[in-house]
Amino acid sequence: MIYFDHDTGAMSDPKMTELCIECGPGAIAAYWCIIEQIYRDESPLVLFANQDGNRTLTKVVSHWLCIDSETLESWVSEMLGIGLLETDENNPNAVTSKRAMANIEAYKAKQETARQNGKKGGRKTQPKPNENQAQTESVSGRKANKRKEKKGFGLDKPNQKPCASGDAAAAGAAPPAACPKCGSPLSATSVSSTGWWCDACREEASP
C-alpha cells in the first residue's frame, strides 16, 4: 500500500501518551516508522535477530531514527507491552499491528473485487432491449395505423371539390334538373343530402 488512514487524534490516545512518557517523543516517531513499513510491505516487520543473527532491518530503522539498535529494541518491547504492537504468530522475530493488518486485508479484498469486476466488464454481452424505446415504437406504430384508417376516398378536407365517383353515383340515381330558385342546372354531388348542388346558389338543391 502507498498510503493509509491516520487518525487526527492519535497523539491523544492513552497508549501513545504512555509510550511518550516511558520512552520519550523519539519512540513515537519509531512507532509510526514501523507502522509505515508494515503498510508498505503489507506484512509483519522483522525487527529482532533471527536464528542466523540477521539484524539488517533493525539497523536500517535505527539509522532512519538516528538511534542505536539496542534503543530501538527497547522501544519496541515497550510498544509490545503497552499493546501498540503485537508479536506475529507465525514469526516470533516479527512485530505487527492487528489494526494495520485488518486494513491491509480489506484493501486486498477490494483490489480482488475490482479485478473480478474488470474481467466481467471485458465480456461481450447481448444488449438488452430498451423498454422505453420499445414503448415509443409501439405508440408510434399505433398512431400511424390510426392515420391510415382515417384517410379515405372522397371529401377529406373542407372546400374540396366533389369527387368523380360521387358525381357519377348521384347522376345515376336521378336525371339532371334545374335549381328551383335560380333555374340553373344542378350538378350531382355526394356532399348534399339531396344529391344535387347548385353552383350559382352555392348550396344544395332539390330537383
Side-chain angles (χ1 to χ4, degrees):
M1 297 177 61
I2 59 176
Y3 69 90
F4 64 94
D5 294 334
H6 185 135
D7 294 338
T8 56
M11 287 304 299
S12 61
D13 184 89
K15 293 181 180 180
M16 297 291 284
T17 303
E18 184 179 352
L19 178 63
C20 186
I21 293 172
E22 295 296 331
C23 303
I28 303 297
Y31 170 76
W32 288 117
C33 183
I34 293 170
I35 292 297
E36 287 178 6
Q37 189 74 24
I38 291 174
Y39 273 107
R40 185 173 62 187
D41 296 343
E42 299 182 5
S43 64
L45 183 63
V46 179
L47 278 177
F48 303 108
N50 55 23
Q51 295 177 354
D52 300 328
N54 186 1
R55 298 176 54 146
T56 302
L57 189 55
T58 305
K59 293 179 181 179
V60 171
V61 177
S62 300
H63 174 74
W64 290 342
L65 298 171
C66 299
I67 58 175
D68 55 69
S69 300
E70 288 73 17
T71 300
L72 177 60
E73 289 188 6
S74 66
W75 286 356
V76 172
S77 297
E78 190 68 30
M79 296 175 197
L80 292 170
I82 295 173
L84 287 170
L85 297 176
E86 296 85 20
T87 302
D88 182 36
E89 297 178 355
N90 301 321
N91 187 353
N93 297 316
V95 295
T96 187
S97 166
K98 291 182 179 179
R99 179 178 180 181
M101 295 308 298
N103 291 339
I104 291 170
E105 291 303 319
Y107 169 75
K108 289 181 178 179
K110 183 180 292 186
Q111 278 190 318
E112 179 62 20
T113 300
R115 188 178 68 84
Q116 295 296 335
N117 290 339
K119 285 184 177 181
K120 294 178 181 178
R123 299 174 184 172
K124 293 184 179 180
T125 57
Q126 187 70 20
K128 296 181 178 180
N130 189 323
E131 294 183 0
N132 293 333
Q133 182 179 358
Q135 292 177 355
T136 302
E137 292 177 353
S138 177
V139 172
S140 300
R142 290 197 296 268
K143 289 183 178 179
N145 291 335
K146 287 183 178 179
R147 286 196 296 269
K148 290 180 179 179
E149 291 174 358
K150 290 181 179 179
K151 185 176 181 181
F153 300 95
L155 300 180
D156 298 328
K157 297 180 181 180
N159 300 326
Q160 185 175 356
K161 292 183 178 181
C163 63
S165 60
D167 292 348
C179 177
K181 291 183 179 181
C182 65
S184 299
L186 299 179
S187 300
T189 178
S190 61
V191 298
S192 172
S193 60
T194 63
W196 298 97
W197 181 266
C198 178
D199 291 332
C201 298
R202 303 298 298 172
E203 62 183 12
E204 64 180 21
S206 299

